Amino acid sequence: MTDARPPGADKTAFIAAARSNDAAQFALITERYRRELQVHCYRMLANYEDAQDMTQETFLRAWNKRESFKGHAALRTWLYRIATNACLDFLDKRNDRTPVPAELPDAGSELHYLQPYPDRMLPEDPQESVVARETIELAFIVAVQHLPPRQRAVFILRDILGWPASKAADALELTVASVTSALQRARVTMRERLPARRLDWRSPATHELSDDERGVVKSYIDAHERNDLEGLMALLRDDLRFAMLPDPGTLIVTATDAVDGWVSGGLFQRGHDDWRCIATTVNRMPAAALYLRAPDDPEHRLYTIAVLHIVGGKIVELTGFDATDKPWLGLPATL
């Protein structure tokens, strides 16, 4: 994020706060980096709540290690190093933070722990590489999760943040040769996972939704509020990929099967026929927050958030997330 502070101001103030054990000043300085560090942790972990926890862990570790900061590197670099290693330590302890094979043949894998990232929590400067749309969209986040943790860290530091190999090697306590090798392997995996996407992640990126995307979201919302199954079906590309998270085994790879599943689950039938929706964005992607009013309930209550990947006026990926009890989404609980 940009501000009017001269280069090195944070570094000087941080060293002074560390030497004087000034916890309040320390917190004031490090808080400026919270949003970008949280995005970094999210890319490493694909889970908003885990990213929140690891960002807080980063600040705790930074305070405990404050005397080790000598100012040889930028404060931002030092904090990113701590955050990266906090995430790696977290992943070392968890055996449930890897993609699992999908139940459907040839459907790839599922990421049960994936959570959406609210756009309101992204860093404010749209020029920052950390908020480039191509590097925060769900497909990109999922693809990164297929990299082994340290390979993942190398890829993010080198190809997203633009760190030189020597800097990434120092942060991860690896040799430059190891970092170079890991990056080459990571790029191969990313090309396989994102064959139609560009891989120059640091070049200028799109941030705003297109008119096409806004129009499809409006039609998607209208179809729900009118209980219009045919209208909803018309928005879906035949090879739709649908998943409802965090439920396992919900991955579906055709529009017909997805709609059949929704209908068998009661969509647009009594109890699932009184919808109100609002357009929103998460992960810099178009989305709709769906509110359902149950019989005898005076209010529509937040039910799910549907994140849409739209190509050529059709929904090609629809990822649904349980939106209940997630105040960090910033959505009203009722309408």
Side-chain angles (χ1 to χ4, degrees), residues 35-63:
R35 288 194 176 193
E36 60 181 283
L37 289 170
Q38 189 163 295
V39 172
H40 178 61
C41 293
Y42 176 73
R43 284 203 184 93
M44 286 288 297
L45 305 175
N47 183 282
Y48 182 84
E49 291 166 317
D50 290 343
Q52 280 187 313
D53 291 344
M54 288 304 102
T55 303
Q56 201 57 41
E57 174 68 14
T58 296
F59 291 149
L60 177 60
R61 291 188 183 193
W63 172 252

Side-chain angles (χ1 to χ4, degrees), residues 22-42:
D22 187 341
Q25 181 65 10
F26 171 92
L28 182 64
I29 296 167
T30 55
E31 186 64 26
R32 295 171 186 145
Y33 300 92
R34 177 179 293 275
R35 288 194 176 193
E36 60 181 283
L37 289 170
Q38 189 163 295
V39 172
H40 178 61
C41 293
Y42 176 73

Side-chain angles (χ1 to χ4, degrees), residues 1 8 55 123 125 134 149 155 159 167-168 175 177 180 243 256 289 314 332-333:
M1 291 180 285
T55 303
D125 186 350
E134 288 84 347
F155 176 76
D159 270 13
K167 189 174 174 180
T175 65
T180 301
T256 299
K314 293 282 189 176

Side-chain angles (χ1 to χ4, degrees), residues 69-91:
F69 181 73
K70 306 299 182 183
H72 302 309
L75 177 59
R76 173 184 272 110
T77 300
W78 188 69
L79 291 172
Y80 268 96
R81 173 177 182 160
I82 294 173
T84 302
N85 284 286
C87 291
L88 290 173
D89 290 345
F90 173 86
L91 291 169

Side-chain angles (χ1 to χ4, degrees), residues 293-308:
R293 189 180 74 84
D296 303 323
D297 190 336
E299 296 183 301
H300 291 78
R301 301 188 182 277
L302 182 58
Y303 189 65
T304 61
I305 182 168
V307 186
L308 313 177

